[in-house]
Amino acid sequence: MGLFDFFGGRCAICKRKISPLRKSIDPRGKTVKICRACAEYAERGAYQIH
C-alpha cells in the first residue's frame, strides 16, 4: 500500500491523481473514471455520466 493509494486512481482525461472521481461511459462503451474538473468537458463530448 503506497502513500497515495487513497486517491483511487487517475482521471481518464487529464491523467491527474485526484479525488473524487466519477464513473462515466466513453464512446466505446467502456467505464472510465473522470474528475470533477473534466466532468464538464465529458458532458459536452460523447461521454455519458454513469
Side-chain angles (χ1 to χ4, degrees):
M1 181 171 186
L3 181 62
F4 295 105
D5 285 344
F6 63 92
F7 282 121
R10 293 182 181 265
C11 175
I13 296 175
C14 67
K15 307 298 186 214
R16 290 187 293 168
K17 282 191 174 182
I18 194 165
S19 181
L21 294 172
R22 303 170 98 188
K23 290 183 181 178
S24 297
I25 301 174
D26 69 356
R28 297 179 189 154
K30 183 179 174 186
T31 301
V32 294
K33 295 180 181 177
I34 298 177
C35 67
R36 275 192 195 164
C38 296
E40 184 178 337
Y41 170 78
E43 289 172 358
R44 286 182 299 185
Y47 289 84
Q48 298 174 355
I49 301 300
H50 187 62

